[in-house]
Coordinates of all heavy atoms in Angstrom, one line a residue:
M23 N -147.5 84.2 -131.1 CA -147.8 83.2 -130.1 C -149.2 82.5 -130.3 O -150.0 83.3 -130.6 CB -147.8 83.9 -128.6 CG -148.0 83.0 -127.5 SD -146.4 82.4 -127.1 CE -146.7 81.8 -125.4
Y24 N -149.2 81.2 -130.3 CA -150.5 80.5 -130.5 C -151.3 80.3 -129.3 O -150.8 80.1 -128.2 CB -150.1 79.1 -131.2 CG -149.5 79.3 -132.5 CD1 -148.2 78.9 -132.7 CD2 -150.1 79.7 -133.6 CE1 -147.5 79.0 -134.0 CE2 -149.5 79.8 -134.9 CZ -148.4 79.6 -135.0 OH -147.7 79.6 -136.3
P25 N -152.5 80.1 -129.4 CA -153.3 79.7 -128.3 C -152.9 78.3 -127.7 O -152.4 77.4 -128.5 CB -154.8 79.6 -128.9 CG -154.7 80.4 -130.1 CD -153.3 80.3 -130.6
P26 N -153.2 78.0 -126.4 CA -152.7 76.7 -125.8 C -153.2 75.5 -126.5 O -152.4 74.5 -126.7 CB -153.4 76.7 -124.4 CG -153.6 78.2 -124.2 CD -153.8 78.9 -125.5
E27 N -154.5 75.4 -127.0 CA -155.0 74.3 -127.7 C -154.2 74.1 -129.0 O -154.0 72.9 -129.5 CB -156.5 74.4 -128.1 CG -157.3 74.5 -126.8 CD -157.4 76.0 -126.3 OE1 -156.9 76.8 -126.9 OE2 -158.0 76.1 -125.2
L28 N -154.0 75.1 -129.7 CA -153.2 75.1 -131.0 C -151.7 74.6 -130.8 O -151.3 73.9 -131.6 CB -153.4 76.3 -131.9 CG -153.0 76.5 -133.3 CD1 -153.8 75.4 -134.0 CD2 -153.3 77.7 -133.8
R29 N -151.2 75.2 -129.8 CA -149.8 74.8 -129.4 C -149.7 73.3 -129.1 O -148.7 72.7 -129.6 CB -149.3 75.6 -128.3 CG -148.5 76.8 -128.6 CD -147.8 77.4 -127.5 NE -149.0 78.1 -126.8 CZ -149.1 78.4 -125.5 NH1 -148.0 77.9 -124.8 NH2 -150.1 78.9 -124.9
K30 N -150.6 72.8 -128.4 CA -150.6 71.4 -128.1 C -150.7 70.5 -129.3 O -150.0 69.6 -129.4 CB -151.8 71.1 -127.2 CG -151.8 69.7 -126.7 CD -152.9 69.4 -125.6 CE -152.9 67.8 -125.3 NZ -154.0 67.5 -124.5
L31 N -151.5 70.9 -130.3 CA -151.6 70.2 -131.5 C -150.3 70.3 -132.4 O -149.9 69.3 -132.9 CB -152.8 70.6 -132.4 CG -153.0 69.9 -133.6 CD1 -153.5 68.6 -133.5 CD2 -154.0 70.8 -134.6
I32 N -149.7 71.4 -132.4 CA -148.6 71.7 -133.4 C -147.3 71.0 -132.6 O -146.6 70.5 -133.4 CB -148.3 73.2 -133.5 CG1 -149.5 73.8 -134.3 CG2 -147.0 73.4 -134.1 CD1 -149.4 75.4 -134.3
Y33 N -147.2 71.2 -131.4 CA -145.9 70.7 -130.8 C -145.9 69.3 -130.4 O -144.8 68.7 -129.8 CB -145.5 71.6 -129.6 CG -145.3 73.0 -130.0 CD1 -145.8 74.1 -129.4 CD2 -144.5 73.3 -131.1 CE1 -145.6 75.4 -129.7 CE2 -144.2 74.7 -131.5 CZ -144.8 75.7 -130.8 OH -144.5 77.0 -131.1
T34 N -146.9 68.6 -130.5 CA -147.0 67.2 -130.0 C -146.2 66.2 -130.9 O -146.1 66.4 -132.2 CB -148.4 66.6 -129.9 OG1 -148.3 65.4 -129.3 CG2 -149.1 66.5 -131.2
T35 N -145.5 65.2 -130.4 CA -144.6 64.4 -131.3 C -145.0 63.0 -131.0 O -144.5 62.1 -131.7 CB -143.1 64.5 -130.9 OG1 -143.0 64.1 -129.5 CG2 -142.5 65.8 -131.2
N36 N -146.0 62.7 -130.1 CA -146.5 61.4 -130.0 C -147.0 60.6 -131.3 O -146.7 59.4 -131.4 CB -147.7 61.2 -128.9 CG -147.1 61.6 -127.6 OD1 -146.0 61.6 -127.2 ND2 -148.0 62.1 -126.7
M37 N -147.7 61.3 -132.0 CA -148.1 60.7 -133.3 C -147.0 60.3 -134.2 O -147.0 59.3 -134.8 CB -149.2 61.6 -134.0 CG -150.5 61.7 -133.2 SD -151.8 62.6 -134.1 CE -151.3 64.3 -133.7
I38 N -146.1 61.3 -134.3 CA -145.0 61.0 -135.2 C -144.1 59.9 -134.7 O -143.7 59.0 -135.5 CB -144.1 62.3 -135.3 CG1 -144.9 63.4 -135.9 CG2 -142.9 62.0 -136.1 CD1 -144.3 64.8 -135.9
E39 N -143.9 59.8 -133.4 CA -143.0 58.8 -132.8 C -143.8 57.4 -132.9 O -143.0 56.5 -133.2 CB -142.9 59.1 -131.2 CG -141.8 60.1 -131.2 CD -141.8 60.6 -129.6 OE1 -142.3 60.0 -128.7 OE2 -141.0 61.6 -129.4
G40 N -145.1 57.4 -132.8 CA -145.8 56.2 -133.0 C -145.7 55.6 -134.5 O -145.5 54.5 -134.7
Y41 N -145.8 56.6 -135.3 CA -145.7 56.3 -136.8 C -144.3 55.8 -137.1 O -144.2 54.6 -137.7 CB -146.0 57.6 -137.5 CG -145.8 57.3 -139.2 CD1 -146.8 56.5 -139.8 CD2 -144.6 57.9 -139.8 CE1 -146.5 56.4 -141.1 CE2 -144.6 57.7 -141.1 CZ -145.4 57.0 -141.8 OH -145.3 56.8 -143.2
H42 N -143.2 56.4 -136.6 CA -141.9 55.7 -136.8 C -141.7 54.5 -136.0 O -141.0 53.6 -136.7 CB -140.9 56.8 -136.3 CG -140.8 58.0 -137.1 ND1 -140.2 59.2 -136.7 CD2 -141.1 58.3 -138.4 CE1 -140.2 60.1 -137.6 NE2 -140.8 59.5 -138.6
R43 N -142.3 54.3 -135.1 CA -142.1 52.9 -134.3 C -142.8 51.9 -135.2 O -142.3 50.8 -135.3 CB -142.9 53.1 -132.9 CG -142.7 51.8 -132.1 CD -143.3 52.0 -130.7 NE -144.6 52.6 -130.6 CZ -144.8 53.9 -130.2 NH1 -143.7 54.5 -129.7 NH2 -145.9 54.4 -130.0
Q44 N -144.0 52.1 -135.8 CA -144.5 51.1 -136.7 C -143.8 50.7 -137.9 O -143.6 49.6 -138.3 CB -146.0 51.7 -137.0 CG -147.0 51.8 -135.9 CD -147.4 50.4 -135.4 OE1 -147.5 49.4 -136.1 NE2 -147.6 50.4 -134.2
L45 N -143.0 51.8 -138.4 CA -142.2 51.6 -139.6 C -140.9 50.8 -139.1 O -140.5 49.9 -139.9 CB -141.9 52.8 -140.2 CG -142.9 53.7 -141.0 CD1 -142.5 54.9 -141.6 CD2 -143.7 52.8 -141.9
R46 N -140.3 51.2 -138.0 CA -139.2 50.3 -137.5 C -139.6 48.9 -137.2 O -138.9 48.0 -137.5 CB -138.6 51.1 -136.2 CG -137.8 52.3 -136.6 CD -137.1 52.7 -135.4 NE -137.8 52.9 -134.2 CZ -138.5 54.0 -133.8 NH1 -138.3 55.1 -134.6 NH2 -139.1 54.1 -132.7
K47 N -140.8 48.7 -136.7 CA -141.3 47.4 -136.4 C -141.2 46.4 -137.7 O -140.9 45.3 -137.7 CB -142.6 47.3 -135.7 CG -143.0 46.0 -135.3 CD -144.5 45.9 -134.7 CE -145.0 47.1 -134.0 NZ -146.4 46.9 -133.4
V48 N -141.6 47.1 -138.8 CA -141.8 46.3 -140.0 C -140.4 46.0 -140.5 O -140.1 44.8 -141.0 CB -142.6 47.2 -141.0 CG1 -142.5 46.5 -142.4 CG2 -144.0 47.2 -140.7
T49 N -139.5 46.8 -140.6 CA -138.1 46.8 -141.1 C -137.1 46.1 -140.2 O -136.2 45.6 -140.6 CB -137.5 48.1 -141.5 OG1 -137.5 48.9 -140.4 CG2 -138.3 48.8 -142.6
K50 N -137.4 46.0 -139.0 CA -136.5 45.4 -138.0 C -136.4 43.8 -138.2 O -135.3 43.3 -138.1 CB -137.1 45.6 -136.5 CG -136.1 45.0 -135.4 CD -136.6 45.4 -134.1 CE -135.8 45.0 -133.1 NZ -136.3 45.3 -131.7
G51 N -137.5 43.1 -138.6 CA -137.5 41.7 -138.7 C -136.7 41.3 -140.0 O -136.2 40.2 -140.0
K52 N -136.5 42.1 -140.9 CA -135.9 41.9 -142.2 C -134.5 42.7 -142.2 O -134.7 44.0 -142.4 CB -136.8 42.1 -143.4 CG -136.2 41.5 -144.6 CD -137.3 41.4 -145.7 CE -136.6 40.8 -146.9 NZ -137.4 40.1 -147.7
S53 N -133.3 42.2 -142.2 CA -132.2 42.9 -142.1 C -131.6 43.3 -143.5 O -130.9 44.2 -143.6 CB -131.2 42.2 -141.3 OG -130.9 40.9 -141.9
I54 N -131.9 42.4 -144.5 CA -131.4 42.7 -145.9 C -132.5 42.7 -146.8 O -133.3 41.9 -146.9 CB -130.4 41.5 -146.2 CG1 -129.2 41.5 -145.3 CG2 -129.8 41.7 -147.7 CD1 -128.2 40.3 -145.5
F55 N -132.4 43.8 -147.7 CA -133.4 44.0 -148.8 C -132.7 43.8 -150.1 O -131.6 44.3 -150.2 CB -134.1 45.3 -148.7 CG -134.9 45.5 -147.4 CD1 -134.5 46.1 -146.3 CD2 -136.3 45.1 -147.6 CE1 -135.3 46.2 -145.2 CE2 -137.1 45.2 -146.4 CZ -136.6 45.8 -145.3
P56 N -133.2 43.1 -151.0 CA -132.6 42.9 -152.4 C -132.2 44.0 -153.0 O -131.2 44.1 -153.7 CB -133.6 42.0 -153.2 CG -134.8 41.8 -152.2 CD -134.6 42.5 -151.0
N57 N -133.1 45.2 -152.9 CA -132.8 46.5 -153.6 C -133.6 47.5 -152.9 O -134.5 47.2 -152.0 CB -133.1 46.4 -155.0 CG -134.5 46.0 -155.3 OD1 -135.4 46.3 -154.6 ND2 -134.7 45.3 -156.5
D58 N -133.4 48.7 -153.3 CA -134.1 49.9 -152.7 C -135.6 49.9 -152.9 O -136.4 50.2 -152.0 CB -133.6 51.2 -153.1 CG -132.1 51.5 -152.7 OD1 -131.7 50.8 -151.7 OD2 -131.5 52.3 -153.2
D59 N -136.0 49.4 -154.2 CA -137.3 49.3 -154.3 C -138.2 48.3 -153.4 O -139.2 48.5 -153.0 CB -137.6 48.8 -155.8 CG -137.3 50.0 -156.7 OD1 -137.4 51.2 -156.3 OD2 -137.0 49.6 -158.1
A60 N -137.5 47.2 -153.0 CA -138.2 46.3 -152.2 C -138.4 47.0 -150.7 O -139.5 46.8 -150.1 CB -137.2 45.1 -151.9
L61 N -137.5 47.8 -150.3 CA -137.5 48.6 -149.0 C -138.8 49.6 -149.2 O -139.5 49.6 -148.3 CB -136.2 49.2 -148.6 CG -136.4 50.1 -147.5 CD1 -136.7 49.3 -146.1 CD2 -135.0 50.8 -147.4
L62 N -138.7 50.3 -150.3 CA -139.7 51.3 -150.4 C -141.1 50.7 -150.6 O -142.1 51.3 -150.0 CB -139.4 52.1 -151.7 CG -138.2 53.1 -151.6 CD1 -138.0 53.7 -152.9 CD2 -138.5 54.0 -150.5
K63 N -141.3 49.6 -151.2 CA -142.6 48.8 -151.2 C -143.0 48.3 -149.8 O -144.1 48.6 -149.5 CB -142.5 47.7 -152.2 CG -142.3 48.1 -153.7 CD -142.4 46.8 -154.6 CE -142.2 47.2 -156.0 NZ -142.0 46.1 -156.9
M64 N -142.2 47.9 -149.1 CA -142.4 47.3 -147.7 C -142.9 48.6 -146.9 O -143.9 48.4 -146.0 CB -141.3 46.6 -147.0 CG -141.6 46.1 -145.7 SD -140.4 45.1 -145.1 CE -140.8 43.5 -145.6
L65 N -142.1 49.7 -146.9 CA -142.5 50.9 -146.2 C -143.8 51.4 -146.6 O -144.6 51.9 -145.8 CB -141.4 51.9 -146.3 CG -140.1 51.6 -145.5 CD1 -139.1 52.7 -145.8 CD2 -140.4 51.4 -144.0
Y66 N -144.1 51.4 -147.9 CA -145.3 51.9 -148.4 C -146.5 51.1 -147.9 O -147.5 51.7 -147.5 CB -145.3 52.0 -149.9 CG -146.7 52.4 -150.6 CD1 -147.1 53.6 -150.5 CD2 -147.6 51.4 -151.1 CE1 -148.3 53.9 -151.1 CE2 -148.7 51.7 -151.6 CZ -149.1 52.9 -151.5 OH -150.3 53.4 -152.1
L67 N -146.4 49.8 -147.9 CA -147.5 49.0 -147.5 C -147.7 49.1 -146.0 O -148.9 49.1 -145.5 CB -147.2 47.5 -147.9 CG -147.2 47.1 -149.4 CD1 -146.8 45.7 -149.6 CD2 -148.6 47.5 -149.9
A68 N -146.6 49.3 -145.3 CA -146.6 49.4 -143.8 C -147.4 50.7 -143.5 O -148.2 50.9 -142.6 CB -145.3 49.4 -143.1
M69 N -147.0 51.7 -144.2 CA -147.6 53.1 -144.2 C -149.2 53.1 -144.4 O -149.9 53.5 -143.6 CB -147.0 54.2 -145.0 CG -147.6 55.5 -145.0 SD -147.2 56.5 -146.3 CE -148.1 55.8 -147.6
M70 N -149.5 52.3 -145.3 CA -150.9 52.2 -145.8 C -151.7 51.5 -144.6 O -152.8 51.9 -144.3 CB -151.2 51.5 -147.1 CG -150.6 52.2 -148.3 SD -151.3 53.8 -148.6 CE -152.9 53.5 -149.1
D71 N -151.1 50.5 -144.0 CA -151.7 49.8 -142.9 C -151.8 50.6 -141.7 O -152.9 50.6 -141.0 CB -150.9 48.5 -142.7 CG -151.5 47.6 -141.7 OD1 -152.8 47.4 -141.9 OD2 -150.9 47.0 -140.8
V72 N -150.7 51.3 -141.4 CA -150.9 52.3 -140.2 C -151.9 53.3 -140.3 O -152.7 53.5 -139.4 CB -149.4 52.9 -139.9 CG1 -149.5 54.0 -139.0 CG2 -148.3 51.9 -139.6
V73 N -151.9 54.0 -141.6 CA -152.9 55.1 -141.8 C -154.2 54.5 -141.7 O -155.2 55.1 -141.1 CB -152.6 55.7 -143.1 CG1 -153.8 56.7 -143.5 CG2 -151.3 56.5 -143.1
R74 N -154.6 53.2 -142.2 CA -155.9 52.6 -142.1 C -156.3 52.4 -140.6 O -157.4 52.5 -140.3 CB -155.9 51.4 -142.9 CG -157.2 50.6 -143.0 CD -157.1 49.3 -143.9 NE -156.1 48.5 -143.5 CZ -156.1 47.5 -142.5 NH1 -157.1 47.4 -141.8 NH2 -155.0 46.8 -142.3
K75 N -155.4 52.1 -139.7 CA -155.8 51.9 -138.4 C -155.9 53.1 -137.5 O -156.4 53.0 -136.3 CB -154.6 50.9 -137.8 CG -154.6 49.5 -138.4 CD -153.6 48.7 -137.7 CE -153.6 47.3 -138.3 NZ -152.5 46.5 -137.7
W76 N -155.6 54.3 -138.0 CA -155.6 55.5 -137.2 C -157.1 55.8 -137.0 O -157.9 56.0 -137.9 CB -155.0 56.7 -137.8 CG -153.6 56.7 -137.7 CD1 -152.7 56.0 -136.9 CD2 -152.6 57.6 -138.5 NE1 -151.4 56.4 -137.0 CE2 -151.4 57.2 -137.9 CE3 -152.8 58.4 -139.6 CZ2 -150.2 58.0 -138.5 CZ3 -151.7 59.0 -140.0 CH2 -150.4 58.9 -139.5
T77 N -157.5 55.9 -135.7 CA -158.9 56.2 -135.4 C -159.0 57.3 -134.3 O -160.1 57.6 -133.9 CB -159.7 55.0 -135.0 OG1 -159.1 54.4 -133.8 CG2 -159.8 53.9 -136.0
G78 N -157.8 57.8 -133.9 CA -157.8 58.7 -132.8 C -158.5 60.0 -133.2 O -158.4 60.4 -134.4
R79 N -159.1 60.6 -132.4 CA -159.7 62.0 -132.4 C -158.8 63.0 -131.7 O -158.3 62.7 -130.6 CB -161.0 62.0 -132.2 CG -161.9 61.1 -133.0 CD -163.4 61.1 -132.6 NE -164.1 60.3 -133.4 CZ -165.1 60.6 -134.1 NH1 -165.6 61.8 -133.8 NH2 -165.8 60.0 -134.9
V80 N -158.9 64.2 -132.3 CA -158.2 65.2 -131.6 C -159.2 66.1 -130.7 O -160.3 66.3 -131.1 CB -157.6 66.4 -132.6 CG1 -157.0 67.5 -131.9 CG2 -156.7 65.7 -133.5
Q81 N -158.8 66.2 -129.5 CA -159.7 66.9 -128.5 C -159.9 68.2 -128.9 O -158.9 68.9 -129.2 CB -159.2 66.7 -127.1 CG -159.2 65.3 -126.5 CD -158.7 65.2 -125.1 OE1 -158.1 66.2 -124.6 NE2 -158.8 64.1 -124.6
N82 N -161.2 68.8 -128.7 CA -161.5 70.3 -128.8 C -161.1 70.6 -130.4 O -160.7 71.7 -130.6 CB -160.6 71.1 -128.0 CG -161.0 70.9 -126.6 OD1 -162.0 70.6 -126.2 ND2 -159.9 71.0 -125.6
W83 N -161.5 69.7 -131.3 CA -161.1 69.9 -132.7 C -161.9 71.2 -133.2 O -161.3 72.0 -134.0 CB -161.4 68.8 -133.6 CG -161.1 69.1 -135.0 CD1 -162.1 69.1 -136.1 CD2 -159.8 69.4 -135.6 NE1 -161.5 69.4 -137.2 CE2 -160.1 69.6 -137.0 CE3 -158.6 69.5 -135.1 CZ2 -159.1 69.9 -138.0 CZ3 -157.6 69.8 -136.0 CH2 -157.8 70.1 -137.3
G84 N -163.0 71.4 -132.9 CA -163.9 72.5 -133.2 C -163.2 73.8 -132.9 O -163.1 74.7 -133.8
Q85 N -162.7 74.0 -131.7 CA -162.1 75.1 -131.3 C -160.7 75.3 -131.9 O -160.5 76.5 -132.3 CB -161.8 75.0 -129.7 CG -161.4 76.4 -129.0 CD -161.3 76.3 -127.7 OE1 -161.4 75.2 -127.1 NE2 -161.3 77.3 -126.9
I86 N -160.1 74.3 -132.2 CA -158.7 74.3 -132.9 C -159.0 74.8 -134.2 O -158.2 75.6 -134.8 CB -158.0 73.0 -132.8 CG1 -157.6 72.6 -131.3 CG2 -156.8 72.9 -133.7 CD1 -157.1 71.3 -131.2
L87 N -159.9 74.2 -135.0 CA -160.3 74.6 -136.5 C -160.7 76.0 -136.5 O -160.2 76.7 -137.3 CB -161.3 73.7 -136.8 CG -161.7 74.0 -138.4 CD1 -160.4 73.6 -139.2 CD2 -162.8 72.9 -138.7
L88 N -161.3 76.5 -135.4 CA -161.7 78.0 -135.4 C -160.5 78.9 -135.3 O -160.4 79.9 -136.0 CB -162.7 78.4 -134.4 CG -163.2 79.7 -134.2 CD1 -164.0 80.1 -135.4 CD2 -164.1 79.8 -132.9
Q89 N -159.5 78.4 -134.5 CA -158.3 79.2 -134.2 C -157.5 79.1 -135.5 O -156.8 80.2 -135.7 CB -157.7 78.7 -132.9 CG -158.4 78.9 -131.7 CD -157.8 78.3 -130.5 OE1 -156.8 77.5 -130.7 NE2 -158.4 78.6 -129.3
L90 N -157.5 78.0 -136.0 CA -156.7 77.9 -137.4 C -157.2 78.8 -138.4 O -156.5 79.5 -139.1 CB -156.6 76.5 -137.8 CG -155.7 75.6 -137.1 CD1 -156.0 74.2 -137.5 CD2 -154.2 75.9 -137.3
T91 N -158.6 78.9 -138.4 CA -159.2 79.8 -139.5 C -158.8 81.4 -139.2 O -158.8 82.1 -140.2 CB -160.7 79.6 -139.6 OG1 -161.2 79.7 -138.3 CG2 -161.0 78.3 -140.2
V92 N -158.7 81.6 -137.9 CA -158.5 83.1 -137.5 C -156.9 83.2 -137.8 O -156.7 84.4 -138.4 CB -158.8 83.2 -136.1 CG1 -158.2 84.5 -135.6 CG2 -160.2 83.2 -135.8
C93 N -156.1 82.3 -137.5 CA -154.6 82.6 -137.9 C -154.3 82.5 -139.2 O -153.4 83.2 -139.7 CB -153.8 81.5 -137.0 SG -153.9 81.7 -135.2
Y94 N -154.9 81.6 -140.0 CA -154.6 81.4 -141.4 C -155.9 81.4 -142.2 O -156.2 80.4 -142.8 CB -153.8 80.2 -141.5 CG -152.6 79.9 -140.8 CD1 -152.6 79.2 -139.7 CD2 -151.4 80.6 -141.1 CE1 -151.5 79.1 -138.8 CE2 -150.3 80.6 -140.4 CZ -150.3 79.8 -139.2 OH -149.2 79.6 -138.4
P95 N -156.5 82.5 -142.5 CA -157.7 82.5 -143.2 C -157.6 82.1 -144.7 O -158.5 81.7 -145.3 CB -158.2 83.9 -143.0 CG -157.0 84.8 -142.7 CD -156.2 83.8 -142.0
D96 N -156.4 82.3 -145.2 CA -156.3 82.1 -146.7 C -155.8 80.6 -146.9 O -156.0 80.0 -147.9 CB -155.2 82.9 -147.2 CG -153.7 82.8 -146.4 OD1 -153.9 82.6 -145.2 OD2 -152.7 83.0 -147.0
R97 N -155.5 79.8 -145.8 CA -155.1 78.4 -146.0 C -156.2 77.5 -145.5 O -156.2 76.3 -146.0 CB -153.9 78.1 -145.1 CG -152.7 78.8 -145.7 CD -151.5 78.4 -144.9 NE -150.2 79.1 -145.4 CZ -149.1 78.8 -145.0 NH1 -148.9 77.8 -144.1 NH2 -148.0 79.5 -145.5
V98 N -157.0 77.9 -144.4 CA -158.0 76.9 -143.8 C -159.3 77.4 -144.2 O -159.7 78.6 -144.0 CB -157.8 76.9 -142.4 CG1 -158.8 76.0 -141.8 CG2 -156.5 76.4 -141.9
Q99 N -160.0 76.5 -144.8 CA -161.5 76.7 -145.2 C -162.3 75.9 -144.6 O -162.3 74.6 -144.6 CB -161.7 76.7 -146.7 CG -160.8 77.7 -147.5 CD -160.9 77.6 -149.0 OE1 -161.6 76.6 -149.5 NE2 -160.3 78.4 -149.7
V100 N -163.4 76.4 -143.7 CA -164.4 75.5 -143.1 C -165.5 75.2 -144.1 O -166.0 76.2 -144.7 CB -164.9 76.2 -141.8 CG1 -165.8 75.4 -141.1 CG2 -163.7 76.6 -141.0
R101 N -165.7 73.9 -144.2 CA -166.9 73.6 -145.0 C -168.3 73.6 -144.4 O -168.5 73.5 -143.2 CB -166.7 72.2 -145.6 CG -165.5 72.0 -146.5 CD -165.3 70.6 -147.0 NE -164.0 70.4 -146.8 CZ -163.5 69.1 -146.9 NH1 -164.3 68.2 -147.4 NH2 -162.2 68.8 -146.8

């Protein structure tokens, strides 16, 4: 069982749904792609644009990071 703050971070889907919504918005306007590479390039460029615009911060990140280091000391290293 994870602490409440860590559970909220792990189980949230809002970020994932927002990301998928942005990708759907890009592909919705164009119904036919000449080939698979054209679709992959468009999705890649859209992904780069979405990632560049991400500015949200996670609330209580210091506490969450501390809990992650306790739960997974071999995977998480605090600098």
Side-chain angles (χ1 to χ4, degrees):
M23 188 84 165
Y24 295 110
E27 297 85 5
L28 195 54
R29 260 186 292 152
K30 183 177 178 184
L31 180 71
I32 292 172
Y33 297 133
T34 186
T35 59
N36 290 339
M37 288 187 276
I38 296 168
E39 290 171 359
Y41 175 71
H42 287 163
R43 183 173 45 253
Q44 294 293 325
L45 294 182
R46 281 193 307 273
K47 188 189 313 182
V48 170
T49 58
K50 185 179 182 181
K52 190 166 180 149
S53 59
I54 298 174
F55 292 93
N57 56 31
D58 291 345
D59 286 337
L61 173 63
L62 289 174
K63 286 178 186 178
M64 181 175 272
L65 289 174
Y66 173 76
L67 291 173
M69 178 197 66
M70 295 302 287
D71 190 44
V72 169
V73 170
R74 184 175 48 85
K75 292 179 182 177
W76 278 347
T77 57
R79 294 180 177 233
V80 177
Q81 291 180 351
N82 300 326
W83 176 247
Q85 188 176 13
I86 292 171
L87 185 58
L88 180 63
Q89 291 171 356
L90 284 171
T91 56
V92 170
C93 292
Y94 303 104
D96 55 332
R97 292 186 181 188
V98 179
Q99 298 175 356
V100 179
R101 294 181 228 172

